[in-house]
């Protein structure tokens, strides 16, 4: 909102400034077409062109020089306002000194595009960085960090960044958010000890605040602090949404668990018996592996 207000004020001031410049005779259409560095002012040629063609200014007439100084000030202010409008209300010379919300992209190319296209669309407290490459950003004021779509190939960098920011900021780091993370992948981290340790160090401590996964027959959702819920498409759903909840759980179910929930709900599978046993233990092991 602050940027929008500055943009509106800059446009109003620019309009008033140009009216003042027109009254002083500065808004000459032929001004930009001049081949030298002179300009027309109240019908007189001032300080420009060939030396032999320059008009001498009488020492007794101070008004022209005074008006020339005022014209220079107006011209400089016009350039400042045009730059401010081009930046959509953001002053390019302004440097934010308060708490920072930093958004990390997977690579520097994405971060560079965000800086180019979004810098004028977000508040100055929002800054963009990348997970890859050398970390040169000043994180001494970072209070919120967001990782945008980190993948398994960036898992090590994400972990290093988190530890570094926590070390520098301590309790001043208020929040860490990951948007659509996929930090464990069979082709990169594997499902063995490396993947399990990564999950224990980095992933298990995270709280899934918002989760949505579409399924061929429904969806798996979660909005914190509510439970994970499995939904099945149903045209006759009482609430008219077209979906009926068939299961609620306090943890994220694995892919096989989700399919089992659907099969049990539709009579294609019996409810597994509770209790110890080799098959149950094997099933728990397989579910644990699939959750990696």
């Amino acid at each position: 909102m602050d940027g929008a207000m500055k943009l509106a004020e800059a446009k109003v001031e620019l309009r008033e400034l140009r009216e003042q410049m027109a009254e002083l005779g500065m808004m000459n259409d032929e001004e930009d077409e001049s081949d030298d560095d002179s300009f027309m002012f109240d019908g007189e040629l001032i300080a420009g062109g060939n030396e032999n063609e320059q008009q001498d200014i009488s020492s007794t007439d101070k008004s022209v020089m005074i008006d020339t100084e005022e014209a220079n000030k107006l011209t400089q202010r016009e350039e400042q306002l045009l730059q401010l409008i081009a930046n959509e209300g953001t002053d390019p010379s302004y440097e934010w000194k308060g708490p920072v919300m930093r958004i990390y992209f997977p690579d520097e190319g994405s971060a560079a595009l965000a800086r180019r296209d979004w810098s004028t669309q977000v508040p100055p407290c929002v800054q963009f960085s990348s997970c890859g490459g050398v970390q040169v950003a000043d994180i001494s004021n970072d209070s919120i960090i967001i990782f945008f779509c980190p993948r398994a190939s960036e898992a090590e960098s994400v972990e290093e960044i988190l530890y570094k920011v926590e070390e520098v900021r301590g309790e001043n780091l208020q929040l860490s958010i990951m948007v659509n993370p996929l930090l464990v992948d069979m082709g990169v981290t594997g499902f063995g000890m490396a993947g399990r340790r990564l999950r224990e160090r980095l992933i298990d401590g995270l709280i899934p605040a918002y989760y949505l996964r579409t399924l061929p027959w429904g969806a798996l959702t979660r909005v914190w602090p509510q439970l994970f819920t499995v939904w099945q498409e149903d045209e006759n759903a009482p609430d008219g949404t077209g979906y009926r909840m068939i299961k609620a759980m306090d943890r994220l179910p694995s892919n096989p668990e989700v399919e089992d929930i659907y099969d049990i709900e539709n009579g294609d599978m019996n409810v597994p018996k509770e209790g110890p046993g080799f098959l149950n233990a094997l099933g728990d092991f397989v579910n644990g592996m699939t959750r990696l």
Side-chain angles (χ1 to χ4, degrees), residues 74-94:
L74 293 175
T75 302
Q76 291 176 2
R77 183 55 183 165
E78 181 188 30
E79 293 177 355
Q80 293 173 356
L81 291 173
L82 289 173
Q83 184 64 44
L84 188 62
I85 293 172
N87 292 333
E88 299 187 9
T90 302
D91 187 353
S93 63
Y94 176 74

Side-chain angles (χ1 to χ4, degrees), residues 7-19 77 80-81 84:
L7 178 61
E9 293 173 355
K11 289 181 177 180
V12 172
E13 184 180 352
L14 180 62
R15 183 170 60 250
E16 296 174 349
L17 181 70
R18 285 182 167 172
E19 291 176 356
R77 183 55 183 165
Q80 293 173 356
L81 291 173
L84 188 62

Side-chain angles (χ1 to χ4, degrees), residues 2 31 36 58 62-63 79 82 86 114 128 133 136 148 155 171 188 202 204 246 250 267 284:
D2 185 53
E31 177 181 339
D36 52 36
S58 174
K62 304 292 186 180
S63 62
E79 293 177 355
L82 289 173
F128 304 105
V136 296
F148 188 76
E171 296 181 355
V188 181
L202 183 60
D204 286 346
I246 59 177
D250 59 358
D284 292 341

Side-chain angles (χ1 to χ4, degrees), residues 2 12 21 41 44 59 75 77 79 106 110 227 255 274 279:
D2 185 53
V12 172
M21 294 171 69
F41 184 76
E44 296 182 299
S59 59
T75 302
R77 183 55 183 165
E79 293 177 355
S110 300
L227 300 175
N255 293 337
E274 299 291 339
L279 294 179

Side-chain angles (χ1 to χ4, degrees), residues 14 42 45 53 58 72 79 83 95 99 102 127 142 146 166 179 199 218-219 239 274 276 278 291:
L14 180 62
D42 282 340
L45 187 65
E53 297 176 355
S58 174
N72 291 334
E79 293 177 355
Q83 184 64 44
E95 184 177 356
R102 188 174 303 280
Q127 299 183 14
D142 288 10
I146 301 176
E166 289 178 354
V179 180
R199 175 174 289 277
D239 56 4
E274 299 291 339
F278 172 75
R291 283 197 294 271

Side-chain angles (χ1 to χ4, degrees), residues 103-107 130-132 145-159 161-162 176-185 188-189 198 202-203 206:
I103 302 177
Y104 286 92
F105 287 86
D107 56 80
S130 64
C131 294
I145 53 177
I146 301 176
F147 295 93
F148 188 76
C149 297
R151 293 297 180 256
S153 56
E154 290 91 41
E156 184 176 352
S157 298
V158 169
E159 193 172 8
I161 292 171
L162 276 173
S176 299
I177 303 172
M178 294 192 184
V179 180
N180 292 341
L182 183 59
L183 296 175
V184 177
D185 181 80
V188 181
T189 59
L198 177 62
L202 183 60
I203 302 175
L206 300 176

Side-chain angles (χ1 to χ4, degrees), residues 1 9 18 23 52 63 75 108 131 139 149 151 158 160 166 176 190 197 201 234 261 271 278 280 288:
M1 183 61 69
E9 293 173 355
R18 285 182 167 172
E23 292 176 358
N52 295 328
S63 62
T75 302
E108 182 57 34
C131 294
I139 62 172
C149 297
R151 293 297 180 256
V158 169
E160 291 178 356
E166 289 178 354
S176 299
R197 286 180 175 175
R201 294 194 312 266
D234 187 349
I261 291 171
V271 179
F278 172 75
N280 287 335

